[in-house]
Amino acid sequence: MSQAPERGTTSGTGTGSIRPAGVDGARRLTDGVHLPARSTARREVWPGTPQPLGARFCTGPHGTEGTNFALWAGGAEAVELCLFDDNGHETRCSLTELTHEIWHGFVPAVRPGQRYGYRVHGRWDPWTGARWNPAKLLLDPYARAVDGEYRLPPEVYGHVRDWPEQELADTVRDDRDSALHVPKGVVVHDHDTWSDDRRPKTPWADSVIYELHVRGFTMRHPGVPAKLRGTYAGLAHPAALEHLTRLGVTAVELLPVHQFAHEDHLLKRGLRNYWGYNSVGYFAPHAAYSAYGSRGQQVGEFKAMVRALHDAGIEVILDVVYNHTAEAGELGPTLSLRGIDNRGYYRLAEDSRYYADYTGCGNTLHVVQPQVLRLITDSLRYWVQEMGVDGFRFDLAAALARSMHDVDMLSPFLAVIAQDPVLRRVKLIAEPWDIGAGGYQVGAFPPLWTEWNDRYRDTVRDHWRGALPDVRDLGYRLSGSSDLYAWGGRRPYASVNFITAHDGYTLRDLVSYEQKHNEANGEDNRDGTHDNRSWNCGAEGPSDDPEVTALRRRQLRNMLTTLLLSTGVPMIVAGDEMGRTQGGNNNAYCQDNEISWLDWSLRDDPAWRSLLDLTCRLIGLRRTHPVLRRRAFFSGRRHGPEGIRDLGWFNPRGREMSADDWHAPGSTLGMFLSGRDIPQRDAMGRPVTDDSFLVLLHAGHRPVRYPLPGPPWADRYELVVDTSREDQEEPPLTRHRGGNTLRLPARSVLILRACRLDGAPAGPHP
């Protein structure tokens, strides 16, 4: 049995790497390796200031222009600032000032556009979590822009990847220089903070969210110039904005735009991380989405995109990944935080050589640590105040809410957000789970937060595929999920309702596939969830059967109608409104190609144009009628002399639901939304009233006869939407008398406006 590596201590120049006893210095893997050109010129470094962190171009002593650099590196023994010219020549400057664990210095004449990184010296002792390695050039966690992409040859790893004893590989330091293979931070000129009067400030209850990928949304858009496709400028182009404004959505939720890295296993298969949930720079817009350059141009381009969206009345929400970084576990690359202070930034396991992994990505940021909490909140404030964004969706938010080990709704992270004068005013969306023990926290986040409601997703999918045992859960989901959110002052808009998201099937694939088809990912179809709750309508994948294709389109109309009528905040995934497909791939995270990019030819395809028209009509209906976007939960109590409930439920016999009806098998549910009893006032203090609507949801495979509720609910009903119709233009005015029987088509949603005998709406009093 081989002898274990010695526990050694190295510092300074990094010439004494840890290695197994008896192995000579040649095993440091530096001999014969080409190193970056290093300038012999000395740069004058003044003391500078420890605040703010990062690289800040400013005027220093005696009016001298330059850049102040400040880096938190708590346990480091020395820090070198590395400046790179356009030819890649490196100049190293020692930062000798240390204030409260922050290394800092002011370098005269360093201006915006300067590329830089850090080398941090300290002990190499993986058994105690110490992984300093000055041979690795590190990205500044506060870099405002990043130039270049990560390549992942062995030199980028702090340990020797091909060590003969693989179980010990992460303990043997690799002293080869990584500077040739990693991007550099870029000094940018920070501008004034964002003015609030530019923001749409859409109330939560009025919001309709559209989840999209900056690159994928425009890569195939014929109206966007080729040079702008896949970029921030492309999303800001009038042709892209036209689709968003036509739909009527109020916010775009952008998949990650923080600078991220591609995983080694994907690069080896010729793939890339498309979704971007692999962050490495929390202040920098991802440079590959810039049309105009990566030496700071991406910052201005991102701001221009936000302004264009705001001018169109659309808010910008960022999907952010503060739970883990691209450095992965102990076998991952050394890119930034690991080399700055591994123990200070990451949660380590009981055996400090390893990482506590609540994310499934190899590491978890240690949010309890003050410097990590500061990194996250500084980043969030930067994107709000200087980049103009309106809110955030937090990936695996339960991991951020963990104190020591357990999820804690009084955790430092949630407490800091709640009292922050900037962050408590923006939209905050939690993905309320992680993969650790006790990580599923749907309904548990405190006021100020909304949540992705996967209970809504699962229930609606099950209803329309005929798999719900009864309609009790459906009633909760349609009316705002009061069983989850009616506590602590939370409102119905705490529930972000969705049926599909970037992760999983598209809406069209949900009705076309029962088995995932992820072969293109190169993982033998093992990746992606097996729990899709999908129904292929009788044929797997593409079908020429007109009955199958007609049923699929009807099911899409049913689900979109259900989503946009439900109380809460609806979220639509880009392309679902026009039948986008990923060919059954339910985990297209690595497909930066036509599998994931929106196919804009669908917009003009007669088979799918009606779906887009219906989506626009439904969003318009929601925008027009406050009864569909309530700010308070329904009471269910009877109101007024006629005894009409603000929310009435009806069984398949057209009678009000009894307790037994909720638990009985069934596929049909009637929901009456009264416009008379909306607990809301307008800006002048006047009561808000609206039309009343009867919504009938029938998931059965045969049509049924449905008795319409008569007085006092309504004298007559006017048909507004009928999802059984292929043509979804405005339906002809069709009236039905209350108490009469209506034919309810198989697998359909009908929306009917309640009226009095004289044809006036039955909702508000005259």
Side-chain angles (χ1 to χ4, degrees):
M1 184 174 180
S2 300
Q3 187 174 4
E6 299 176 66
R7 287 191 179 188
T9 300
T10 63
S11 61
T13 60
T15 58
S17 66
I18 301 274
R19 54 192 180 274
V23 178
D24 63 27
R27 285 305 243 167
R28 285 179 11 235
L29 301 181
T30 57
D31 296 333
V33 177
H34 174 69
L35 300 178
R38 183 175 170 184
S39 172
T40 58
R42 295 180 61 84
R43 296 295 297 264
E44 187 176 15
V45 181
W46 298 351
T49 63
Q51 307 296 340
L53 291 171
R56 183 62 60 94
F57 174 70
C58 57
T59 301
H62 310 295
T64 302
E65 285 191 339
T67 300
N68 191 82
F69 295 89
L71 177 75
W72 183 92
E77 297 173 359
V79 171
E80 291 179 299
L81 168 68
C82 306
L83 304 176
F84 293 84
D85 65 17
D86 290 342
N87 296 318
H89 291 93
E90 176 183 356
T91 300
R92 298 187 188 181
C93 310
S94 293
L95 299 183
T96 58
E97 299 294 326
L98 178 62
T99 305
H100 303 309
E101 301 185 321
I102 297 173
W103 300 79
H104 55 92
F106 178 88
V107 185
V110 169
R111 302 185 57 80
Q114 173 67 58
R115 299 186 303 155
Y116 73 101
Y118 290 105
R119 298 182 186 274
V120 182
H121 301 253
R123 295 186 307 115
W124 175 266
D125 187 6
W127 286 269
T128 63
R131 292 182 178 271
W132 283 283
N133 185 342
K136 309 307 167 185
L137 186 75
L138 307 175
L139 182 69
D140 178 4
Y142 280 73
R144 301 306 206 248
V146 177
D147 178 57
E149 283 200 13
Y150 285 102
R151 299 186 296 275
L152 296 177
E155 291 89 340
V156 176
Y157 292 77
H159 62 280
V160 180
R161 295 192 71 189
D162 57 353
W163 189 254
E165 298 173 89
Q166 275 296 295
E167 69 277 8
L168 297 174
D170 71 288
T171 69
V172 183
R173 201 179 75 178
D174 186 329
D175 285 342
R176 290 175 293 184
D177 198 293
S178 68
L180 288 174
H181 311 286
V182 295
K184 283 74 179 174
V186 179
V187 177
V188 302
H189 194 336
D190 291 325
H191 298 290
D192 295 335
T193 56
W194 202 271
S195 173
D196 265 356
D197 59 11
R198 292 175 175 168
R199 302 177 187 273
K201 299 180 184 177
T202 306
W204 259 126
D206 299 340
S207 297
V208 178
I209 297 174
Y210 190 74
E211 187 194 44
L212 66 82
H213 190 286
V214 168
R215 178 170 168 83
F217 187 72
T218 58
M219 279 299 292
R220 303 174 71 183
H221 197 304
V224 175
K227 66 179 181 179
L228 300 183
R229 292 175 189 170
T231 69
Y232 305 119
L235 181 55
H237 190 273
L241 295 176
E242 183 276 332
H243 184 76
L244 300 174
T245 54
R246 177 186 175 189
L247 274 175
V249 297
T250 68
V252 291
E253 183 176 303
L254 306 182
L255 267 68
V257 295
H258 289 165
Q259 186 71 32
F260 62 87
H262 304 288
E263 294 92 329
D264 184 51
H265 70 92
L266 292 179
L267 295 175
K268 288 178 178 178
R269 298 203 299 267
L271 300 171
R272 297 164 64 85
N273 187 317
Y274 172 68
W275 288 347
Y277 291 91
N278 208 38
S279 299
V280 70
Y282 290 127
F283 290 77
H286 190 60
Y289 299 160
S290 174
Y292 300 116
S294 58
R295 297 289 284 269
Q297 296 93 335
Q298 63 266 54
V299 178
E301 185 178 336
F302 185 93
K303 290 180 179 180
M305 176 198 72
V306 174
R307 289 191 184 95
L309 287 161
H310 282 180
D311 289 345
I314 298 170
E315 294 184 307
V316 178
I317 298 171
L318 302 188
D319 196 335
V320 290
V321 189
Y322 294 111
N323 55 78
H324 75 279
T325 75
E327 292 185 302
E330 67 277 1
L331 297 177
T334 296
L335 310 176
S336 182
L337 303 183
R338 192 199 309 280
I340 295 171
D341 193 322
N342 186 54
R343 294 177 299 188
Y345 279 108
Y346 292 117
R347 288 180 179 268
L348 301 183
E350 186 174 350
D351 180 346
S352 297
R353 176 182 165 190
Y354 303 104
Y355 295 80
D357 184 9
Y358 296 109
T359 66
C361 299
N363 65 55
T364 306
L365 281 177
H366 201 350
V367 181
V368 174
Q369 297 278 19
Q371 64 274 7
V372 180
L373 191 57
R374 179 181 178 183
L375 171 68
I376 295 172
T377 53
D378 283 354
S379 168
L380 292 169
R381 281 189 292 268
Y382 173 76
W383 287 96
V384 173
Q385 293 178 300
E386 298 198 31
M387 304 296 273
V389 306
D390 305 285
F392 306 93
R393 179 264 186 188
F394 292 82
D395 180 65
L396 300 182
L400 299 174
R402 290 184 181 272
S403 290
M404 296 309 296
H405 300 289
D406 296 334
V407 178
D408 179 6
M409 292 305 159
L410 298 176
S411 66
F413 172 73
L414 295 179
V416 166
I417 295 293
Q419 61 78 45
D420 189 283
V422 173
L423 301 179
R424 69 188 182 199
R425 295 168 51 211
V426 303
K427 287 182 165 63
L428 303 170
I429 307 171
E431 183 182 37
W433 51 77
D434 64 21
I435 69 165
Y440 186 76
Q441 295 289 325
V442 172
F445 275 72
L448 290 184
W449 287 82
T450 65
E451 301 175 16
W452 270 25
N453 187 352
D454 67 328
R455 292 275 300 276
Y456 181 94
R457 174 199 64 196
D458 294 348
T459 298
V460 173
R461 288 186 180 192
D462 282 347
H463 174 70
W464 287 113
R465 71 188 180 109
L468 276 185
D470 54 52
V471 294
R472 180 175 181 272
D473 205 45
L474 180 64
Y476 275 123
R477 304 308 144 232
L478 295 172
S479 58
S481 295
S482 60
D483 57 331
L484 300 175
Y485 302 111
W487 63 274
R490 302 187 82 183
R491 299 298 183 91
Y493 47 77
S495 176
V496 174
N497 300 328
F498 68 103
I499 301 173
T500 58
H502 65 275
D503 187 0
Y505 281 148
T506 67
L507 200 64
R508 179 175 170 183
D509 288 354
L510 192 64
V511 300
S512 304
Y513 296 90
E514 293 185 8
Q515 304 297 324
K516 61 184 180 179
H517 296 269
N518 299 353
E519 291 80 7
N521 296 354
E523 300 178 39
D524 297 324
N525 207 33
R526 295 188 303 269
D527 62 305
T529 182
H530 297 282
D531 183 20
N532 295 294
R533 299 174 187 249
S534 60
W535 176 49
N536 63 19
C537 297
E540 185 73 2
S543 174
D544 295 327
D545 187 326
E547 292 186 4
V548 170
T549 56
L551 176 56
R552 288 175 175 175
R553 289 196 295 271
R554 180 183 294 199
Q555 288 287 78
L556 296 186
R557 295 193 294 270
N558 289 336
M559 286 189 276
L560 278 171
T561 302
T562 304
L563 175 64
L564 290 166
L565 287 178
S566 298
T567 301
V569 179
M571 184 184 79
I572 302 169
V573 178
D576 276 353
E577 74 279 9
M578 51 189 184
R580 182 175 76 92
T581 177
Q582 293 179 169
N585 192 321
N586 75 350
N587 190 36
Y589 78 102
C590 56
Q591 298 299 326
D592 187 4
N593 50 47
E594 287 82 358
I595 292 175
S596 297
W597 302 341
L598 264 67
D599 179 1
W600 289 95
S601 69
L602 295 168
R603 188 173 52 171
D604 301 317
D605 187 334
W608 299 107
R609 189 185 305 136
S610 64
L611 184 66
L612 175 58
D613 292 341
L614 175 63
T615 306
C616 295
R617 283 190 54 221
L618 290 167
I619 293 175
L621 190 70
R622 185 181 184 91
R623 181 175 57 249
T624 304
H625 293 285
V627 73
L628 300 178
R629 41 187 175 83
R630 288 174 57 101
R631 287 159 167 74
F633 287 105
F634 296 96
S635 70
R637 296 190 296 270
R638 298 187 184 276
H639 297 268
E642 296 174 326
I644 294 179
R645 302 180 192 275
D646 59 354
L647 176 64
W649 297 105
F650 293 88
N651 64 22
R653 300 178 298 281
R655 299 175 182 172
E656 286 196 70
M657 295 280 286
S658 67
D660 291 340
D661 289 332
W662 286 111
H663 298 281
S667 58
T668 307
L669 182 64
M671 177 175 66
F672 189 94
L673 303 168
S674 173
R676 297 186 181 186
D677 305 298
I678 302 174
Q680 180 181 336
R681 295 179 180 272
D682 64 17
M684 302 294 292
R686 297 167 297 196
V688 172
T689 58
D690 192 13
D691 294 343
S692 297
F693 291 93
L694 177 65
V695 181
L696 303 176
L697 301 97
H698 176 51
H701 64 282
R702 292 190 179 91
V704 296
R705 308 294 294 179
Y706 193 91
L708 295 172
W713 300 95
D715 297 316
R716 293 181 182 275
Y717 295 91
E718 294 176 353
L719 182 64
V720 177
V721 172
D722 178 358
T723 63
S724 70
R725 292 165 47 92
E726 188 75 34
D727 179 5
Q728 285 300 310
E729 294 182 358
E730 192 75 28
L733 182 62
T734 306
R735 291 185 176 176
H736 304 272
R737 184 181 294 273
N740 286 359
T741 298
L742 173 73
R743 182 181 182 276
L744 188 54
R747 297 192 176 95
S748 64
V749 181
L750 267 58
I751 305 173
L752 303 107
R753 180 183 289 109
C755 306
R756 298 196 304 269
L757 281 172
D758 60 6
H765 294 290

